[in-house]
Amino acid sequence: MSGQDGAASPVYRWTMALALGTLPALDRLAAWRGDVVFVALLVLVRILDLPGQRIDGQDLSPWSPQIGVLLWWLLIGPRRAPLIGVVAFVAADAIAPGAAWEDALLPATLSFLGVWLAAFLLRHMRFDPTLILPRDLVMLLAIASSSLALATLATSALGHGADQPGWASIEAGFSSLWIGKVAGMVTVTPLLLRAQYGLLGEGRPEILRDAARALEISVQLALLVGIVLASHNAFGATHERMLYLAFLPIAWIAVRSGLNGSTVSVFALMLTFEIGGLFEPQSEDVLILNQVATLGMGVAGLLLGSVASERDRVERDLRTSEGWLRAILDASKDGVVILDRDRRIVEINPAACGMFGYVRAAAFGRQIVALLPELSVDGTQTQVVQMGLKRDGTTIPIEVAVGTASGAATGVTVLTLREVSERLESERRRRSQVAEMELINRRLTVGEMAAAMAHEVSQPLSAIASYVDVCQRQIKELPTEARETVATTLGKVAAQARRAGEVMRTVRGYLRAGESARRRVDLDTLIAEALDLADIEARNRRIALMFEPDLPLPAVRVFKVQIEQVILNLVRNAMDAMDQTKHTTPTIRIGAKRINQDTVAVTVADMGTGIAETAVGRLFDPFYTSKPQGMGLGLSISRTIVEAHGGSLTLAENSSHGAVFQFTLPIDFGDEA
């Protein structure tokens, strides 16, 4: 309670509303304009603090709203806020009508120091002026009330506000001043802080967002105002105890509108309580009792509204998190299934529903064994479930990643599912291609061996035929009967030798066949497919394959499988060459580029130790090998294949840091046959 003179202004509400409307944009104003707004608000609330009645010749008011304005300014104002605040606050009290400035100077200064102490403590603590959390509101009320209590005790101890000396003076002054100051802080500071940060338009539901909410707010405030005025004989009868019923609409507003509604309702409560004093004066004891009641209702309303706002904020955050989780689950291409402690499905995303042929509602509550009969959920693991059971009874292979939750969600299991039918089929096709390539390689090896044997055996056969001719010329000196027998035998030997020679020539020509099987293909695609076949072996040996073509590559007309076999042979030789090296990231680089108008070249470079000089001249000889278990036919076969296609295979580079093999192919300029 504070003592002043004068009469209440009938236009204070409109002026206050106009001032509050400028608050959300205050942080965008220039610093001096902020000071002007503070001073204007201080003057306006000074008008609101005009007395509602006179007791023992002294004007009394139930609140000191200028305290709330000052605390708000010291919390959010610039560094010079204390200087501006003390001058404006002390001046406002000193120049009040009917007040002696020398008597008002010391109490106003002590009140300012109390408010400054509260602001100082709050600004140096983890205090959020937006009052988003209930703890921030509790900090504001507790620290500000304590600081104002110290200032009020100092004022009372100096004999201001009471005529009794000693402790009686302090007690009387404290009861008449501290409650009014705290009431002003409780009523004004939270309202201005919420308005300052533009939060009065937020909350549950947003105030005045629609006609129904506007009507509800109007009814709530009208009920509150009516109860307070009725307790002051505003309607021709005195119902002092009716004031306590004002807590009902305050609680209603707090529950429905949160902290935003609470700040407005507490302001309306205190303002109406002051106006009610104009209708019927009350004794000092009754006035103080009602003042304490309104202060208690105001604090309770703010705390209840803060808790309601916090609950709404948590609910909104939870709904937002659930929305994000639902969006993630819906967008995931992998199936996601969440199980409870009993291994029942409590959540499933559309990908998992499509995987098993269920609609979402039908999958809820089912045991996971209905979908994955062989699943084990012991720990975190990745496994392939062979029997993922669809709703129509068919089975599909499913790769399952199992994760278990911790903390409050202990016992919850999250399954990430991926159908691997296509991957398994792709791996099957790749294995089939590798097996086919190995079969072709064995056939080519046999063919090369036959060609080499034909080359080696043809000369002895020719020699046999020559010796037979010599013998046939010499048998003329033998007796007739013996001559005929030997001639017949030698003729048969010569015929068989010539027949064997024809067979060898036929075998040697076999490798040059296949012209009709050649097709026009893109070279980069051919190389990429060949490297796909080598990729599994390379990964097992921890070797990286780097394909670095000089695009665009021309087309070539080849027997596709044979050229793929050449590339595989060169890549495998490169892998073998790097087995004994200690590179941290062993890499085989495969290049392809056009080297002239008619020819394209493919290179395979390893990071091995190179090829011994003594072995360079014999690399492409049949049956020559430096490998303990090699047959010595890989490079020979590869060269034969490349040459049959009109190209060449050579050792392009050789050093202690690795070897580079290169083969060329003619470019095909025609259309595909």
Side-chain angles (χ1 to χ4, degrees), residues 480-501:
T480 303
E481 184 175 334
R483 186 169 61 243
E484 291 179 355
T485 302
V486 174
T488 301
T489 302
L490 290 175
K492 292 180 179 179
V493 172
Q496 292 301 318
R498 285 190 292 271
R499 182 173 179 274

Side-chain angles (χ1 to χ4, degrees), residues 142-206:
I143 293 176
S145 299
S146 301
S147 299
L148 290 172
L150 293 176
T152 305
L153 284 173
T155 302
S156 300
L158 294 176
H160 292 275
D163 296 330
Q164 299 91 338
W167 177 251
S169 172
I170 296 175
E171 183 180 5
F174 184 84
S175 62
S176 63
L177 295 175
W178 180 75
I179 297 175
K181 293 177 181 180
V182 174
M185 179 272 297
V186 169
T187 303
V188 177
T189 303
L191 178 66
L192 292 180
L193 287 175
R194 297 293 287 182
Q196 163 69 28
Y197 294 99
L199 299 176
L200 285 183
E202 300 179 355
R204 43 161 283 159
E206 295 184 2

Side-chain angles (χ1 to χ4, degrees), residues 219-512:
V219 171
Q220 292 168 339
L221 292 178
L223 180 61
L224 173 62
V225 171
I227 291 174
V228 176
L229 292 179
S231 68
H232 283 77
N233 196 24
F235 305 112
T238 301
H239 305 282
E240 294 179 354
R241 295 184 179 181
M242 184 177 289
L243 178 64
Y244 299 101
L245 296 177
F247 183 70
L248 296 178
I250 290 177
W252 182 15
I253 294 173
V255 172
R256 289 288 293 153
S257 301
L259 184 57
N260 295 331
S262 295
T263 57
V264 175
S265 65
V266 171
F267 183 83
L269 169 68
M270 195 61 66
L271 187 60
T272 308
F273 181 72
E274 183 178 19
I275 295 174
L278 299 174
F279 293 95
E280 182 181 22
Q282 298 175 336
S283 66
E284 184 173 4
D285 292 339
V286 173
L287 182 62
I288 293 177
L289 182 63
N290 289 340
Q291 188 182 30
V292 172
T294 55
L295 177 60
M297 288 187 288
V299 172
L302 289 176
L303 293 176
L304 183 59
S306 181
V307 172
S309 292
E310 172 65 6
R311 184 186 65 184
D312 292 338
R313 186 183 66 83
V314 172
E315 290 178 353
R316 288 196 302 271
D317 291 345
L318 180 60
R319 287 194 296 269
T320 300
S321 298
E322 290 177 347
W324 289 346
L325 176 60
R326 171 52 50 195
I328 293 172
L329 293 178
D330 291 347
S332 175
K333 294 182 179 180
D334 292 335
V336 179
V337 178
I338 302 178
L339 311 178
D340 62 11
R341 298 173 185 269
D342 299 324
R343 302 297 184 254
R344 294 184 181 275
I345 298 173
V346 295
E347 185 59 77
I348 183 169
N349 72 335
C353 290
M355 198 177 295
F356 293 100
Y358 284 89
V359 295
R360 188 164 176 263
F364 282 159
R366 289 180 178 269
Q367 289 283 350
I368 189 60
V369 294
L371 278 61
L372 301 170
E374 301 177 6
L375 177 67
S376 171
V377 291
D378 298 331
T380 301
Q381 54 189 313
T382 299
Q383 56 184 316
V384 174
V385 179
Q386 297 296 330
M387 294 293 291
L389 188 61
K390 300 182 69 173
R391 191 172 189 179
D392 59 6
T394 58
T395 59
I396 52 175
I398 303 289
E399 183 182 73
V400 185
V402 182
T404 55
S406 59
T410 301
V412 175
T413 304
V414 180
L415 307 180
T416 303
L417 314 176
R418 179 172 297 174
E419 184 176 353
V420 293
S421 301
E422 294 183 359
R423 191 182 75 187
L424 294 180
E425 177 61 22
S426 176
E427 291 177 355
R428 187 197 65 78
R429 288 196 301 267
R430 178 176 293 184
R431 289 194 298 269
S432 177
Q433 285 181 298
V434 171
E436 181 183 358
M437 294 298 298
E438 291 177 351
L439 177 60
I440 292 173
N441 188 46
R442 288 195 295 270
R443 290 174 178 174
L444 291 173
T445 301
V446 172
E448 185 69 15
M449 291 175 64
M453 292 175 61
H455 174 73
E456 299 297 329
V457 174
S458 60
Q459 292 182 357
L461 289 176
S462 298
I464 291 173
S466 298
Y467 289 140
V468 169
D469 290 339
V470 172
C471 290
Q472 286 178 335
R473 287 194 298 270
Q474 292 178 348
I475 63 174
K476 294 179 180 179
E477 300 176 359
L478 295 176
T480 303
E481 184 175 334
R483 186 169 61 243
E484 291 179 355
T485 302
V486 174
T488 301
T489 302
L490 290 175
K492 292 180 179 179
V493 172
Q496 292 301 318
R498 285 190 292 271
R499 182 173 179 274
E502 290 295 330
V503 170
M504 292 300 135
R505 283 191 294 273
T506 301
V507 170
R508 293 183 65 184
Y510 171 77
L511 290 177
R512 294 179 173 83

